[in-house]
Amino acid sequence: MQIPLYEHPFWQSIPEQVMRPGGLTVTEQALACCDIQAGMRVLDVGCGAGATLRHVTAKYGVAGVGVDVSAELVARARQTSPQLSWMRSRSETLSFANESMDVVLSECTLSIFEMDKALSECARVLKRGGYFVVSDLYARNENGVEALRQLPRGTCIGAAISQKQILAKIEQCGLRVEVWQDVSEKLKEFSICTLTTAAQVDPFDLHIAAAKAKLGYYFLVARKN
Amino acid sequence: MTEYFDPAKYEGWVCADCNIPLQLSKVDVSYLGNSFPVDLLKCPNCGLVLIPEELALGKMAEVEKALEDK
């Protein structure tokens, strides 16, 4: 049986086990655009083994909740930081009350799930004026998106869409995008080739598709209207 | 057989400098700042790598073209 990409052992070999390009640097860049106050409730959707939530709760004194689809990663997060709340859940079906979160983080996870449903759920649980912080892959060349779709399933790369499409989807959910920042240079530091090995995707095919789509990385900060 | 060429076709090929048979090894292919590992024939002594014609004119050329935006 093939291991899901997010549970592949290679993630444990990278610093702080932050499973995305840019790691905590990009998270910090995005949070610097928000007014985070101690005591706020922060939900990390796709929290993995919990590295980001541990960092954010320690630095800002916020109350953290992490959800992830992987039972193994949630167990690891819980074992490392039992004082925080961890839950196994998909992004499309969050078990939280409406308008119960001040901040929702979704880093490198939107393109893994059904984006429309996941966005709608994140918007639902956010309080009015709350911050939605996203970082993810995107296609800087909309005409090259089709090349990404031809890649075998197994990575989030094949689901990347354009900035225009992302912004439209987010605004449809009643969120207002305040900051969009391209951080594509983080992709090179991240070494996509390691990802291709883990996901068993042909590296030549991946580089061809990524180049055609001008695959990039971004973060954005949106607020609920 | 690797994904990109048939090693049987290159059986008996030796390194011109070391006169040692080439061996199938993991090689880092790098181009315009992008690199990834590929199984290619390599001299175990000096590290000389053979890039088979079918790979050079096939997927490798395609990657170059895509990365250079031609």
Side-chain angles (χ1 to χ4, degrees):
Chain A
M1 194 177 84
Q2 196 183 337
I3 307 169
L5 178 62
Y6 44 80
E7 288 178 358
H8 197 279
F10 111 82
W11 296 112
Q12 294 179 48
S13 67
I14 61 175
E16 296 170 321
Q17 296 180 29
V18 178
M19 302 161 66
R20 57 179 182 273
L24 294 174
T25 308
V26 167
T27 308
E28 276 302 316
Q29 277 181 275
L31 291 178
C33 306
C34 311
D35 181 20
I36 309 288
Q37 303 288 329
M40 280 182 163
R41 284 193 87 197
V42 176
L43 170 65
D44 186 4
V45 176
C47 64
T52 303
L53 199 62
R54 271 193 291 281
H55 169 80
V56 172
T57 50
K59 178 165 180 180
Y60 296 94
V62 293
V65 186
V67 300
D68 200 280
V69 71
S70 162
E72 183 185 320
L73 294 177
V74 168
R76 215 182 296 159
R78 191 174 287 133
Q79 192 176 23
T80 313
S81 307
Q83 75 282 9
L84 300 175
S85 299
W86 309 102
M87 197 182 293
R88 186 180 181 197
S89 169
R90 292 185 65 85
S91 302
E92 301 95 325
T93 49
L94 297 172
S95 313
F96 302 103
N98 295 349
E99 303 189 0
S100 55
M101 299 291 167
D102 297 288
V103 181
V104 175
L105 303 173
S106 173
E107 296 200 84
C108 215
T109 56
L110 271 186
S111 45
I112 295 174
F113 296 102
E114 287 180 57
M115 194 181 288
D116 291 338
K117 285 186 185 171
L119 280 173
S120 161
E121 275 295 84
C122 290
R124 179 184 66 76
V125 302
L126 255 185
K127 291 178 185 174
R128 293 193 183 278
Y131 296 98
F132 185 43
V133 175
V134 181
S135 70
D136 212 346
L137 297 162
Y138 77 115
R140 287 177 288 174
N141 175 19
E142 202 167 351
N143 297 326
V145 165
E146 197 44 44
L148 295 174
R149 301 289 178 272
Q150 304 304 319
L151 291 172
R153 290 187 170 273
T155 72
C156 44
I157 295 168
I161 56 176
S162 68
Q163 177 183 10
K164 192 172 138 193
Q165 290 171 306
I166 295 163
L167 294 178
K169 284 176 183 291
I170 286 182
E171 282 171 13
Q172 263 173 13
C173 295
L175 300 166
R176 185 180 68 256
V177 177
E178 294 196 336
V179 179
W180 171 285
Q181 179 73 49
D182 178 274
V183 286
S184 298
E185 72 280 2
K186 301 295 181 193
L187 269 184
K188 286 195 175 174
E189 296 166 18
F190 185 65
S191 177
I192 286 190
C193 64
T194 320
L195 195 61
T196 63
T197 310
Q200 297 177 321
V201 177
D202 182 308
F204 284 103
D205 288 346
L206 182 125
H207 278 80
I208 292 164
K212 283 182 178 169
K214 293 196 184 303
L215 192 70
Y217 202 74
Y218 72 93
F219 76 77
L220 69 81
V221 177
R223 298 188 79 174
K224 186 164 173 176
N225 295 322
Chain B
M1 181 161 172
T2 73
E3 286 172 73
Y4 310 111
F5 67 100
D6 181 4
K9 190 177 159 188
Y10 296 92
E11 207 178 311
W13 281 51
V14 296
C15 172
D17 290 338
C18 310
N19 201 31
I20 295 174
L22 300 178
Q23 289 178 1
L24 201 59
S25 315
K26 198 69 84 184
V27 172
D28 274 328
V29 173
S30 186
Y31 192 74
L32 288 180
N34 296 267
S35 67
F36 47 88
V38 178
D39 286 321
L40 291 176
L41 290 166
K42 184 179 170 183
C43 171
N45 186 48
C46 69
L48 182 86
V49 173
L50 171 73
I51 297 181
E53 189 181 14
E54 50 269 54
L55 178 61
L57 298 178
K59 288 207 173 187
M60 203 169 259
E62 243 187 293
V63 171
E64 284 182 25
K65 192 177 161 194
L67 286 172
E68 290 174 4
D69 201 14
K70 284 178 184 168

